[in-house]
Amino acid sequence: MYYGELKKCDIANGEGVRVSLFVSGCRNRCKDCFQPETWDFCFGKPFTEDTEREIFAELDKSYIAGLSLLGGDPFEPENQRALLPMLRRIREKYPQKTVWCYTGYRLEELMSAGSHPRCEATEEMLSCIDILIDGRFIAEEKDISLQFRGSRNQRIIDMDRSRQAGKIVLWDKLRK
């Protein structure tokens, strides 16, 4: 897997101060995507053990609320397979930190047998995520007043509450 950027002090892509990893590779190719260079699966630098150590060193800091995964698309099957081992280690070492993940795929697509993004890593990867922002960016629904998303069709899903309820529950920061 390759990645385009690692932000160590990000406040735009999730609640609190976060470490944000922008993975490379996306087949959605949304019109007016804010970083089309990340569509290429070989854009940027290879994700290595050193990259992961860098992420963990940042997560060790008490003021870091967690990790945000963006892209490209973390839910491209190739990216899921590469990210899942790191997510397991993050969940084990930092149970108090949150994992936010942005994907152009809808949760229903990720859960659907036979769909493109679904692979052997999908269910476990979803189990490692606290907040999932799903849905393709749609230029005609762009709204710069939205928090943590770019277009009105995108949902901010509270994965913990969704798992408990057995249905999709949208995130409400007032309802913690």
Side-chain angles (χ1 to χ4, degrees):
M1 179 179 81
Y2 282 72
Y3 70 100
E5 186 174 4
L6 178 61
K7 289 187 177 184
K8 297 179 181 179
C9 197
D10 186 3
I11 58 168
N13 294 301
E15 195 171 42
V17 180
R18 313 190 64 74
V19 176
S20 293
L21 176 67
F22 292 77
V23 301
S24 296
C26 183
R27 292 181 177 89
N28 287 316
R29 300 178 178 258
C30 299
K31 177 186 165 204
D32 295 337
C33 172
F34 79 106
Q35 30 187 39
E37 63 277 5
T38 65
W39 297 348
D40 180 348
F41 281 83
C42 294
F43 171 75
K45 302 179 230 175
F47 184 85
T48 65
E49 288 179 13
D50 286 340
T51 313
E52 186 173 317
R53 276 193 288 276
E54 202 174 340
I55 290 169
F56 275 67
E58 295 304 314
L59 290 172
D60 279 340
K61 297 175 180 172
S62 62
Y63 63 87
I64 296 293
L67 174 71
S68 292
L69 299 170
L70 306 93
D73 199 309
F75 272 98
E76 290 294 352
E78 302 91 320
N79 293 336
Q80 292 182 58
R81 292 177 186 113
L83 290 167
L84 183 56
M86 178 184 70
L87 289 174
R88 287 179 187 136
R89 289 187 283 277
I90 288 171
R91 284 279 152 235
E92 185 177 313
K93 186 170 181 181
Y94 307 104
Q96 76 285 9
K97 307 245 180 193
T98 59
V99 175
W100 286 49
C101 184
Y102 289 74
T103 180
Y105 298 104
R106 302 280 284 182
L107 180 57
E108 293 84 353
E109 287 177 271
L110 297 172
M111 298 302 294
S112 262
S115 69
H116 159 70
R118 189 167 177 81
C119 69
E120 73 284 351
T122 305
E123 279 190 46
E124 189 176 357
M125 185 158 155
L126 285 168
S127 76
C128 294
I129 294 168
D130 298 291
I131 302 292
L132 181 74
I133 296 86
D134 79 341
R136 290 159 180 82
F137 172 76
I138 298 176
E140 296 75 22
E141 293 192 40
K142 180 178 179 177
D143 184 343
I144 62 169
S145 72
L146 297 171
Q147 187 177 35
F148 305 130
R149 55 199 171 114
S151 58
R152 288 183 299 279
N153 64 296
Q154 295 171 315
R155 303 178 293 185
I156 303 175
I157 300 171
D158 184 324
M159 292 299 292
D160 295 329
R161 285 198 164 91
S162 294
R163 284 186 280 273
Q164 291 168 1
K167 64 180 183 178
I168 292 174
V169 177
L170 299 181
W171 178 70
D172 179 353
K173 81 181 213 176
L174 301 176
R175 190 178 39 153
K176 287 193 174 179

